[in-house]
Amino acid sequence: MLCSAETVSAQTFPDLRHVCAQGIGNDINITWSPITDGCSGFQKIYVYGRVDALQPFQLIDSIATLAQNQYTHVGAKAISTTWNYFVVYKFLCNGDSSVSRTLAIDFNQPGISNIDSVSVDLATGRVVVGWRPNPVPDLMAYVVWTNQGANNVPIDTLTNTVFTDPTSNPSTSSQAYTLTAVDSCWNQSIINTVHRTVFLQNSFDNCGKSIQLNWTAYMGWTNVAGYDVYVRNGTSGGFTLTASNTSTQLSHLYTAFGYGDTLEFYIKAKDGTNGFTSTSNKVRIITRARKFSSRNYLSYATVIDSTSIELKLLCDTASDTRKYLIFRRKENEPFAKVAELNYNGIAQTLTYTDINVEPYLYSYQYRFITTDICDKDLDTSNTAKTIFLSIKSTDFGNDLVWSRYSIWDAGVNQYAIYRGFDFGAGFTWNSITTTVNTDSIYSDNGLPVDIGIAGVCYYIEATEQLGNKYGVQELSQSNTVCLVDDVTIHFPNAFAPNEINKLFKPIGANIDYRRTNMQIYARNGQLLKNITDIREGWNGTDLENNPCQDGVYLYICEVFGLNDRKLNFKGTLHLLR
């Protein structure tokens, strides 16, 4: 029991600062501010306590060290959580004692600490959290929490009122934070309102020449006054206000720019109650002018056969080209679009085969136009013109006349004249001469006596000069012309698979059997047989080799002559069983 008769002089008293219960243990920590002993009369510090306000104080312990300013009452919380304490210094000057005030265990939470704003630092791209000081007298620190879904996770403890989150990434999503205050007994305030940054995103419409800005609402203020949109052209210098939106307008369409500009934007949210502001993440859009092709070039146009011409296009992978529009004309007709080729931006070249042509009758011109992703025309290529060959027989030989190839970047180097004969095993071709690039006529007067089974045939091959600026050297071939008679062909009108005439087989002369074909149909239009070599004929069976019944059938035959001319025949035949 503390003795009431003890003398206490008017001097400095120890300040009992706080009495704190250990968070997860049963000890109680007592802390005070020490005093000095100017008279060197110090004896001991006595710690007194009582389990509650209705019980008398008892001496708990004594301390022989003047400088000591804390004491741990081991296991006291297991006895009671309503302890009261004070300390007494004995003896000081003139034998006096100095007694502190009495304090109970501090279980009081500090008042709520409110965040003023969470904002993105435009220079660092990190989130900055700011708040005003908590007025609790024994404030020890603040705890900053990040909100992750339904959970709040502490990320730092600090004593000042501004925090920059070094791990934040506000350019990928809205970042959420809350705050608590902690006193000297580690009593913590209630977690209050979560604040979320404004998250800004953009989309650039190159075709429409516009930038769409969209952002999330600022969360945490009771009254958002609105949002200001700031822009700058370039990556340095100041931003300028370009639009002010209400609190419900979370988008803006920006069009005041030119192709090639580099633009940066951010949003400033405005608090309508306390005047706080919050900046969003910054976004950058690099606009650019349309990229035209540096090699918009038709490398060649060459005849493949009597119904097709092949084109080769050089592509520029760095351009905005997404389609190649192929245009064609013959003689003096206007150009007409014949094809659209989609482009993936990867291939260095594209080839296209035009199968709706008659190169044995005409020379064709081609060019292409490139379009971009906006379906706007970018570039027009050079014009390529095929070689058209014609032949006239004379008393001395054969006169060849051809239209010159155009247009190659390096021009034509020479024309090679090829002559071919078929002696039963297919055509054999040989170059009989070459001419300079300005020639377009030649007389072949040295014909052999034996010209084979198909007559004499010719084609012209042009070779490009060296020095093409695109690093290519191309060839172009003309149509093939044969001096042979037209096709003659005879179709039987009946056959008997089980008798002497076992096959329905056309017979003729000057036929190109490689391309000639025939189909057999029933009278109801059902296809019964597709014959790719008419020399094999039809044996009276269907597609599954089942015998067809006695009756009348229809044939359709597409016949190609050795002179490249095509004839179509159709008629009926009688199958006899």
Side-chain angles (χ1 to χ4, degrees):
M1 178 84 61
L2 182 62
C3 183
S4 60
E6 194 161 2
T7 303
V8 179
S9 63
Q11 57 189 317
T12 303
F13 295 95
D15 179 16
L16 193 60
R17 291 183 174 175
H18 43 252
V19 177
C20 303
Q22 197 173 73
I24 59 174
N26 288 318
D27 297 342
I28 297 175
N29 297 314
I30 308 164
T31 306
W32 60 88
S33 58
I35 61 177
T36 58
D37 178 16
C39 305
S40 301
F42 172 75
Q43 184 181 36
K44 286 185 178 180
I45 303 171
Y46 294 90
V47 179
Y48 290 87
R50 62 184 180 186
V51 294
D52 58 49
L54 300 177
Q55 304 299 319
F57 282 100
Q58 294 182 350
L59 177 64
I60 303 299
D61 206 347
S62 62
I63 302 166
T65 303
L66 176 66
Q68 186 167 330
N69 68 336
Q70 69 87 25
Y71 174 77
T72 300
H73 190 184
V74 178
K77 197 170 72 169
I79 300 171
S80 173
T81 58
T82 58
W83 283 90
N84 289 216
Y85 297 92
F86 69 87
V87 296
V88 177
Y89 278 72
K90 290 184 180 181
F91 292 99
L92 301 178
C93 294
N94 301 320
D96 293 336
S97 296
S98 181
V99 183
S100 75
R101 60 177 173 159
T102 298
L103 280 182
I105 299 174
D106 182 5
F107 289 111
N108 296 321
Q109 287 181 296
I112 293 173
S113 278
N114 290 312
I115 291 175
D116 292 339
S117 68
V118 290
S119 189
V120 180
D121 186 329
L122 296 178
T124 65
R126 301 299 186 186
V127 175
V128 178
V129 184
W131 60 92
R132 284 170 288 187
N134 192 299
V136 65
D138 63 333
L139 178 78
M140 187 173 69
Y142 299 96
V143 180
V144 180
W145 306 69
T146 180
N147 179 256
Q148 299 177 2
N151 300 315
N152 293 309
V153 180
I155 55 175
D156 205 356
T157 301
L158 64 163
T159 58
N160 56 4
T161 58
V162 176
F163 169 70
T164 300
D165 184 0
T167 64
S168 59
N169 193 2
S171 294
T172 60
S173 64
S174 176
Q175 311 282 286
Y177 299 86
T178 188
L179 182 73
T180 56
V182 178
D183 67 12
S184 57
C185 283
W186 282 101
N187 295 312
Q188 190 164 220
S189 65
I190 297 172
I191 291 180
N192 200 20
T193 306
V194 174
H195 284 244
R196 286 185 173 274
T197 60
V198 175
F199 175 50
L200 174 62
Q201 295 176 287
N202 72 276
S203 60
F204 173 48
D205 182 359
N206 190 50
C207 300
K209 195 188 174 188
S210 64
I211 297 170
Q212 180 66 49
L213 302 174
N214 297 287
W215 59 90
T216 60
Y218 185 91
M219 305 297 292
W221 297 328
T222 58
N223 177 23
V224 177
Y227 300 93
D228 289 339
V229 182
Y230 286 85
V231 62
R232 72 178 174 189
N233 194 333
T235 58
S236 61
F239 285 83
T240 58
L241 177 67
T242 187
S244 292
N245 286 18
T246 67
S247 60
T248 59
Q249 294 175 313
L250 303 179
S251 64
H252 177 68
L253 187 67
Y254 186 78
T255 59
F257 65 91
Y259 286 119
D261 291 347
T262 296
L263 302 165
E264 293 186 334
F265 297 89
Y266 75 86
I267 307 300
K268 180 182 286 186
K270 300 176 290 186
D271 174 28
T273 302
N274 298 303
F276 301 130
T277 61
S278 170
T279 56
S280 73
N281 58 302
K282 181 175 61 178
V283 296
R284 178 181 298 174
I285 302 98
I286 301 175
T287 67
R288 61 172 179 80
R290 300 164 71 201
K291 291 184 179 179
F292 295 88
S293 176
S294 62
R295 50 183 243 150
N296 214 41
Y297 183 64
L298 190 52
S299 192
Y300 66 71
T302 186
V303 176
I304 301 299
D305 54 39
S306 62
T307 60
S308 58
I309 294 173
E310 183 180 90
L311 311 178
K312 179 181 176 182
L313 293 66
L314 300 189
C315 308
D316 185 354
T317 59
S319 74
D320 284 336
T321 301
R322 290 298 175 266
K323 282 184 181 180
Y324 287 86
L325 311 183
I326 310 297
F327 290 83
R328 179 191 72 205
R329 75 174 179 184
K330 64 182 178 182
E331 296 182 342
N332 295 321
E333 295 180 358
F335 275 102
K337 185 173 72 173
V338 294
E340 289 188 8
L341 307 182
N342 292 322
Y343 182 57
N344 59 10
I346 299 174
Q348 297 285 338
T349 62
L350 293 177
T351 58
Y352 169 73
T353 301
D354 187 1
I355 60 173
N356 296 309
V357 287
E358 298 172 310
Y360 59 89
L361 295 177
Y362 308 101
S363 172
Y364 289 88
Q365 296 182 51
Y366 292 89
R367 70 183 182 195
F368 64 83
I369 296 175
T370 58
T371 62
D372 60 16
I373 195 172
C374 308
D375 282 332
K376 294 181 179 179
D377 292 352
L378 284 172
D379 305 280
T380 301
S381 74
N382 58 310
T383 298
K385 183 180 179 182
T386 62
I387 305 169
F388 175 67
L389 172 64
S390 61
I391 301 176
K392 181 179 179 181
S393 179
T394 69
D395 294 337
F396 305 101
N398 297 322
D399 289 345
L400 285 67
V401 179
W402 63 89
S403 60
R404 290 195 282 265
Y405 182 87
S406 65
I407 303 172
W408 277 323
D409 174 68
V412 174
N413 178 44
Q414 65 178 23
Y415 294 99
I417 301 173
Y418 283 83
R419 184 176 65 190
F421 305 100
D422 183 0
F423 295 101
F427 269 91
T428 300
W429 294 95
N430 292 286
S431 174
I432 58 174
T433 189
T434 58
T435 68
V436 296
N437 58 11
T438 56
D439 282 347
S440 60
I441 57 174
Y442 176 74
S443 294
D444 183 18
N445 297 325
L447 293 174
V449 175
D450 186 359
I451 60 173
I453 62 174
V456 59
C457 299
Y458 299 89
Y459 70 83
I460 307 296
E461 185 178 75
T463 303
E464 186 178 7
Q465 289 269 20
L466 292 173
N468 186 301
K469 65 181 178 182
Y470 302 109
V472 295
Q473 185 183 25
E474 303 291 5
L475 302 173
S476 177
Q477 185 173 309
S478 74
N479 56 305
T480 298
V481 181
C482 296
L483 285 177
V484 293
D485 293 333
D486 285 338
V487 167
T488 60
I489 190 166
H490 169 71
F491 294 88
N493 59 13
F495 77 111
N498 300 324
E499 303 296 335
I500 297 176
N501 297 323
K502 298 181 181 298
L503 296 174
F504 171 71
K505 182 168 68 173
I507 299 173
N510 303 319
I511 299 171
D512 185 350
Y513 290 105
R514 295 169 301 173
R515 291 187 288 163
T516 297
N517 59 87
M518 181 172 64
Q519 292 79 41
I520 306 297
Y521 293 89
R523 297 181 67 180
N524 62 2
Q526 178 186 0
L527 175 66
L528 298 177
K529 210 73 167 181
N530 183 33
I531 301 168
T532 57
D533 187 345
I534 65 171
R535 291 173 294 186
E536 296 179 357
W538 181 45
N539 63 1
T541 61
D542 61 14
L543 290 171
E544 297 178 356
N545 292 321
N546 298 314
C548 295
Q549 296 179 357
D550 185 290
V552 177
Y553 295 86
L554 173 70
Y555 67 86
I556 296 177
C557 189
E558 184 180 50
V559 181
F560 287 86
L562 294 174
N563 57 3
D564 267 351
R565 295 191 177 180
K566 182 178 73 171
L567 300 172
N568 292 300
F569 297 90
K570 65 180 179 179
T572 59
L573 66 128
H574 201 153
L575 187 156
L576 303 172
R577 291 287 185 184

